[in-house]
């Protein structure tokens, strides 16, 4: 605490008397003195809870400006809260849940920003975060923060009072992470295989005809009720099984409540960002932004994240959804954000949206009506730079099948073989 007061004092002394006076006015630590050092002393006494906030007055000359250093004001108020708590033995703190005296309640949320104010968001609950935490630890929007929340009786705000971890690690470690905007983008060239051995036939088609990679923007294109959500679950299962170190992020904006429950129940270790279809567009955008911001924080730390989203375009609108999908990155410095999202065929701006993808998985209405499963049209699936992602024998087999077989024949071939190796061996020489 003494260190924070010394740091606060040093910062106040760097300001002009007008700036110090504005801060004193904002926290209501008024003094009749016109001397800078006495005004600072009044502010420090207020921070140490030695004096109470004084009522606003209209006496005297009006201030030259109504601007003040918001960060310093937040720090002063935060220090005061800690002094008051220490002085009164915690009697000014009430339980967040039941109003009884308490030392605080554990809370986990994702950091968001509204204007100049920060808060933690979790399941439609929000908790205020002081600017002092942001400054001290270098927190950014999307960070997953675990700490203690208290309800302060002096102003009734629920606020973070103690920070334990950030993104599952020690808060002191995150300052070393890179800034997302400075990461160098590279083409996705490291594969994410979603089929292994006798895996699901749909996943095997994806591995051959639309190979996924770290840092891709991959779309699952399907007609209404064409099984987009089911296919997304299959990909999620494969990533969980084959890549346990990847941070899996489930994003379901404006989803069906039963789908939300099912995803949460099956993928308990994934980070879930969800809202039901009764949520307005602004709230949906907030949730989607948090999901991608959290993914970016992983990439900044050299880790890999995969965002699986269902209904992103319908919930946020085309322009905003494309803006979020720009977060997909394969960074030269290490770390990646892979975005795999569904999009409905017949969507007004479908072709414009799909043009931003570098991998496309297409579900066919004709195959659905013919009761051919998996109903993936392999001939309309692709991944950019597949010659880099696929081995030579794989590429030769895929090119042969695209030229000489229709979508139904390819689906039946996949279903009729034990694994992709048999198909590759059969068609690797183009026969």
């Amino acid at each position: 605490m003494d260190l924070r007061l010394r740091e606060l004092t040093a910062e106040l002394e760097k300001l002009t008397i007008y700036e110090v006076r504005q801060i004193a006015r904002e926290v209501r630590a008024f003094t009749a003195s016109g001397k800078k050092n006495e005004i600072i002393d009044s502010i420090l006494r207020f921070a140490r809870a030695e004096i109470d906030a004084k009522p606003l007055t209209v006496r005297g000359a009006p201030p030259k400006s109504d601007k003040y250093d918001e960060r310093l004001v937040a720090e002063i108020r935060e220090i005061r809260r800690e002094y008051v708590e220490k002085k009164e033995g915690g009697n000014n703190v009430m339980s967040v849940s039941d109003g009884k005296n308490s030392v605080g309640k554990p809370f986990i949320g994702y950091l968001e920003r509204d204007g100049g104010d920060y808060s933690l968001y979790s399941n439609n609950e929000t908790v205020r975060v002081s600017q002092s935490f942001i400054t001290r630890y270098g927190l950014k929007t999307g960070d997953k923060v675990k700490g203690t929340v208290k309800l302060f009786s002096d102003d009734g705000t629920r606020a973070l009072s103690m920070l334990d971890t950030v993104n599952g690690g020690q808060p002191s470690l995150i300052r070393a992470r890179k800034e997302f905007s400075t990461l160098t983008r590279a083409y996705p060239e490291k594969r994410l295989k979603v089929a292994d051995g006798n895996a699901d036939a749909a996943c095997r088609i994806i591995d051959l005809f639309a190979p996924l990679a770290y840092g891709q923007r991959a779309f699952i294109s399907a007609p209404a009720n064409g099984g987009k959500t089911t296919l997304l679950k299959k990909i999620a299962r494969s990533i969980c099984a084959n890549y346990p170190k990847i941070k899996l992020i489930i994003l379901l904006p404006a989803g069906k409540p039963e789908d939300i429950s099912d995803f949460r129940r099956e993928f308990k270790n994934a980070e879930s960002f969800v809202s039901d279809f009764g949520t307005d567009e602004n709230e949906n955008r907030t949730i989607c932004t948090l999901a991608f911001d959290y993914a970016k924080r992983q990439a900044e730390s050299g880790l890999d994240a995969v965002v699986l989203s269902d209904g992103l375009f319908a919930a946020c609108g085309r322009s905003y959804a494309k803006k979020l999908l720009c977060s997909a990155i394969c960074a030269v410095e290490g770390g990646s954000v892979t975005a795999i999202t569904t999009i409905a065929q017949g969507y007004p701006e479908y072709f414009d949206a799909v043009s931003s993808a570098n991998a496309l998985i297409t579900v066919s209405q004709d195959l659905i009506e013919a009761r051919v499963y998996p109903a993936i049209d392999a001939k309309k699936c692709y991944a950019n730079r597949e010659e880099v992602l696929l081995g030579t024998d794989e590429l030769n087999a895929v090119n042969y099948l695209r030229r000489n077989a229709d979508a139904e024949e390819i689906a039946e071939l996949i279903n009729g073989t034990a694994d992709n190796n048999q198909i590759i061996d059969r068609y690797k020489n183009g026969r």
Side-chain angles (χ1 to χ4, degrees):
M1 187 72 72
D2 290 339
L3 175 60
R4 293 179 68 183
L5 280 172
R6 287 198 298 271
E7 291 175 347
L8 174 62
T9 303
E11 292 195 66
L12 289 171
E13 289 176 345
K14 294 177 183 177
L15 304 179
T16 67
I17 187 171
Y18 303 107
E19 292 170 327
V20 171
R21 189 176 291 151
Q22 281 302 98
I23 290 174
R25 180 178 178 82
E26 181 61 25
V27 299
R28 302 186 188 182
F30 302 116
T31 177
S33 173
K35 297 180 179 179
K36 178 179 172 181
N37 64 323
E38 293 183 5
I39 300 173
I40 291 176
D41 182 66
S42 181
I43 293 172
L44 295 175
R45 290 179 64 203
F46 173 81
R48 293 193 298 265
E50 294 174 359
I51 60 174
D52 294 327
K54 299 178 182 179
L56 287 172
T57 178
V58 295
R59 295 177 61 188
K64 292 181 178 293
S65 171
D66 59 358
K67 295 181 180 180
Y68 57 89
D69 190 320
E70 295 182 0
R71 181 184 61 80
L72 278 180
V73 167
E75 176 73 0
I76 291 164
R77 288 173 173 163
E78 188 69 26
I79 293 173
R80 178 180 174 83
R81 284 198 179 96
E82 294 182 18
Y83 265 97
V84 170
E85 179 188 345
K86 183 178 179 180
K87 181 179 179 181
E88 299 184 5
N91 289 331
N92 70 313
V93 179
M94 297 179 293
S95 167
V96 174
S97 58
D98 59 16
K100 298 178 182 178
N101 290 342
S102 170
V103 294
K105 176 184 177 182
F107 190 87
I108 300 176
Y110 301 90
L111 188 68
E112 62 175 341
R113 184 177 184 178
D114 183 9
D117 298 326
Y118 288 90
S119 59
L120 295 181
Y121 178 92
S122 177
N123 295 327
N124 297 317
E125 291 185 79
T126 56
V127 167
R128 189 182 65 81
V129 178
S130 168
Q131 179 68 45
S132 62
F133 280 107
I134 308 300
T135 304
R136 196 184 321 162
Y137 297 106
L139 300 179
K140 300 179 184 179
T141 56
D143 278 332
K144 184 179 181 180
V145 174
K146 178 182 179 182
T148 301
V149 168
K150 295 180 181 179
L151 179 60
F152 293 91
S153 59
D154 57 353
D155 59 7
T157 58
R158 294 199 319 160
L160 183 71
S161 61
M162 183 178 296
L163 191 151
D164 297 326
T165 64
V166 178
N167 299 329
Q170 293 298 317
S172 59
L173 300 179
I174 64 171
R175 282 195 172 277
R177 63 186 172 182
K178 301 176 177 67
E179 179 64 37
F180 186 80
S181 61
T182 67
L183 296 177
T184 307
R185 294 173 179 263
Y187 287 111
E189 295 184 352
K190 183 181 177 182
R191 279 183 78 174
L192 271 172
K193 291 190 175 182
V194 292
D196 186 14
N198 296 322
D200 181 87
C203 292
R204 290 168 51 207
I205 289 180
I206 293 171
D207 265 4
L208 284 178
F209 294 89
L212 301 178
Y214 289 82
Q216 268 184 343
R217 293 176 302 280
F219 284 20
I220 299 174
S221 162
N225 300 315
K228 299 186 296 295
T229 305
T230 300
L231 189 53
L232 202 67
K233 287 180 182 177
K234 290 180 178 180
I235 294 173
R237 291 188 196 109
S238 295
I239 291 174
C240 286
N242 298 338
Y243 303 94
K245 291 185 179 181
I246 285 180
K247 181 64 68 175
L248 183 65
I249 300 169
I250 302 295
L251 174 58
L252 302 176
K256 298 176 182 177
E258 55 271 21
D259 284 340
I260 292 172
S261 296
D262 192 47
F263 268 97
R264 279 178 163 169
R265 184 167 49 249
E266 182 168 356
F267 305 104
K268 294 180 180 178
N269 293 326
E271 303 291 336
S272 297
F273 296 81
V274 302
S275 64
D276 59 40
F277 54 73
T279 307
D280 64 42
E281 184 174 288
N282 288 335
E283 183 71 10
N284 285 329
R285 287 186 174 187
T286 296
I287 291 169
C288 294
T289 302
L290 278 176
F292 279 94
D293 280 349
Y294 177 71
K296 289 193 285 188
R297 304 294 82 85
Q298 303 302 306
E300 289 174 340
S301 298
L303 304 176
D304 300 303
V306 173
V307 182
L308 295 174
S309 60
D310 191 13
L312 179 66
F313 282 86
C316 294
R318 176 181 61 88
S319 297
Y320 201 82
K322 289 179 69 175
K323 177 182 176 181
L324 294 176
L325 290 171
C326 282
S327 302
I329 182 175
C330 177
V332 172
E333 297 84 354
S336 67
V337 175
T338 306
I340 303 173
T341 187
T342 62
I343 187 168
Q345 294 169 5
Y347 181 72
E349 295 87 6
Y350 171 81
F351 290 106
D352 174 58
V354 168
S355 68
S356 64
N358 45 27
L360 180 66
I361 303 163
T362 303
V363 177
S364 166
Q365 181 67 48
D366 291 338
L367 292 181
I368 293 174
E369 292 174 355
R371 298 296 188 269
V372 175
Y373 297 102
I376 298 177
D377 188 341
K379 294 173 74 69
K380 294 182 179 179
C381 294
Y382 69 85
N384 291 349
R385 296 169 62 84
E386 64 179 12
E387 69 278 3
V388 176
L389 297 174
L390 296 173
T392 302
D393 291 342
E394 286 178 302
L395 186 62
N396 289 339
V398 166
N399 287 338
Y400 177 84
L401 290 172
R402 282 193 174 126
R403 289 193 303 267
N404 297 286
D406 60 31
E408 185 172 340
E409 290 172 335
I410 294 173
E412 291 176 347
L413 174 65
I414 297 289
N415 275 318
T417 54
D419 58 44
N420 284 353
N421 290 329
Q422 294 182 8
I423 297 171
I424 295 167
D425 288 341
R426 180 175 176 182
Y427 298 106
K428 65 182 179 182
N429 296 319
R431 59 180 177 81

